[in-house]
């Protein structure tokens, strides 16, 4: 467990496991931290590889700074952290907001990424279920009091009174979600495993569209398997995707070792 000076931040990160090859970077969801996003799956992923789990600005152990929260900013912080740690290339597993950051790393910093695992990601706002973000402006910090996210924040944040400021910044981020043109997805170099819950915030049609842009949706017996993959987890919601460690860990391990 350590902090690194990154773009004016003191960025919290943890190393887990040991093994050869590229490390795997874990990128958590909004308002979350390492524990609430990856507590269930991290031990399994670290069984045979090095895992670097990080926490973004204003989340959990990492203090806030006088700047907004953006996917581009988070991606720049991760690149700076990899530089600080002398990690030239890493595989990346992101969930929810963390998946958007991982996608930004893949499209904007392709030389730093080996393989990508993107859980619950949309490359434009149309990928989300209609009306999903309509109520974000009405979210108040106290609506989440007593939740697992809030409890984690109170346990880990350098300033536990910063919860309202974090919620306010996330509301601004969600009001203008990141987007990529289809051409950027088609040009993605890193082999990518797309993961979706069958009852996710992302529409299944959008995930299939993204899979096709990545070269999927072919008759594998005739053409061979594409470099990218699509996994839909049955009986699963957006928030329970990271809890499906018994399904996800073997799939991720096999994909990263491919």
């Amino acid at each position: 467990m350590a902090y690194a000076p990154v773009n004016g931040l003191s960025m919290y990160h943890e190393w887990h496991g040991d093994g050869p090859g590229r490390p795997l970077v874990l990128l958590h969801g909004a308002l979350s931290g390492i524990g609430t996003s990856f507590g269930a799956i991290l031990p399994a992923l670290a069984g045979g590889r090095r895992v670097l789990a990080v926490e973004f600005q204003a989340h959990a152990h990492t203090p806030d700074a006088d700047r907004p929260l953006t996917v581009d900013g988070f991606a720049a912080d991760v690149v700076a952290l990899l530089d600080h740690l002398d990690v030239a290339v890493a595989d990346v597993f992101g969930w929810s907001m963390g998946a958007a950051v991982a996608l930004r790393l893949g499209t904007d910093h392709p030389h730093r990424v080996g393989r990508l695992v993107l859980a619950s990601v949309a490359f434009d706002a149309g990928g989300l279920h209609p009306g999903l973000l309509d109520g974000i402006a009405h979210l108040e910090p106290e609506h989440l009091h007593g939740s697992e996210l809030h409890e984690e924040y109170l346990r880990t944040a350098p300033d536990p009174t910063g919860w309202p400021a974090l919620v306010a910044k996330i509301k601004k981020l969600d009001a203008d979600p990141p987007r990529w043109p289809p051409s950027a997805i088609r040009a993605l170099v890193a082999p990518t495993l797309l993961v979706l819950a069958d009852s996710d915030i992302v529409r299944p049609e959008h995930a299939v569209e993204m899979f096709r842009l990545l070269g999927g949706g072919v008759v594998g017996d005739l053409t061979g398997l594409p470099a990218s993959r699509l996994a839909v987890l049955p009986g699963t919601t957006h928030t329970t995707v990271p809890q499906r460690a018994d399904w996800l860990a073997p799939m991720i391990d096999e994909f990263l070792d491919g």
Side-chain angles (χ1 to χ4, degrees):
M1 296 180 285
Y3 289 85
V6 168
N7 296 334
L9 293 176
S10 182
M11 192 170 187
Y12 180 83
H13 58 285
E14 299 177 357
W15 281 105
H16 294 263
D18 193 14
R22 294 186 299 258
L24 172 64
V25 179
L26 302 186
L27 303 180
H28 62 78
L31 301 174
S32 184
I34 295 169
T36 50
S37 282
F38 298 114
I41 196 172
L42 200 160
L45 293 176
R49 71 182 73 249
R50 291 181 298 154
V51 175
L52 174 63
V54 307
E55 289 178 337
F56 298 127
Q57 174 192 336
H59 286 77
H61 295 84
T62 300
D64 200 0
D66 187 18
R67 65 181 193 184
L69 303 184
T70 67
V71 165
D72 288 356
F74 290 147
D77 291 342
V78 173
V79 170
L81 178 63
L82 295 179
D83 288 342
H84 178 81
L85 298 174
D86 293 322
V87 175
V89 181
D91 298 323
V92 185
F93 171 23
W95 168 64
S96 195
M97 182 184 74
V101 178
L103 179 56
R104 185 63 78 197
L105 290 170
T107 57
D108 291 21
H109 307 275
H111 60 293
R112 307 305 299 268
V113 174
R115 290 179 174 242
L116 288 172
V117 180
L118 306 179
S120 306
V121 72
F123 64 86
D124 61 35
L128 303 177
H129 284 282
L132 185 70
L133 297 178
D134 290 352
I136 191 67
H138 304 294
L139 177 66
E140 299 297 336
E142 56 269 23
H143 293 163
L144 296 168
H145 284 185
S147 69
E148 185 181 24
L149 298 175
H150 185 234
E151 293 298 324
E152 180 186 41
Y153 187 87
L154 293 178
R155 289 194 310 271
T156 60
D159 177 11
T161 66
W163 179 252
L166 172 58
V167 172
K169 287 187 173 184
I170 288 295
K171 286 167 62 174
K172 289 184 178 179
L173 187 153
D174 285 345
D176 185 22
R179 54 186 59 84
W180 292 260
S183 59
I185 306 302
R186 193 178 292 113
L188 191 63
V189 174
T192 301
L193 168 60
L194 296 176
V195 178
L196 186 77
D198 61 356
S199 299
D200 214 316
I201 63 173
V202 178
R203 297 184 300 108
E205 297 86 352
H206 183 79
V208 171
E209 179 186 359
M210 188 171 181
F211 183 48
R212 291 187 183 278
L213 290 171
L214 292 169
V218 299
V219 182
D221 288 326
L222 300 178
T223 66
L225 287 171
S228 296
R229 304 180 185 182
L230 172 64
V232 180
L233 306 182
T236 303
T237 68
H238 178 68
T239 56
T240 59
V241 166
Q243 308 304 317
R244 298 297 197 181
D246 52 341
W247 292 344
L248 275 178
M251 285 193 293
I252 292 173
D253 278 338
E254 195 270 340
F255 172 69
L256 295 181
D257 292 339

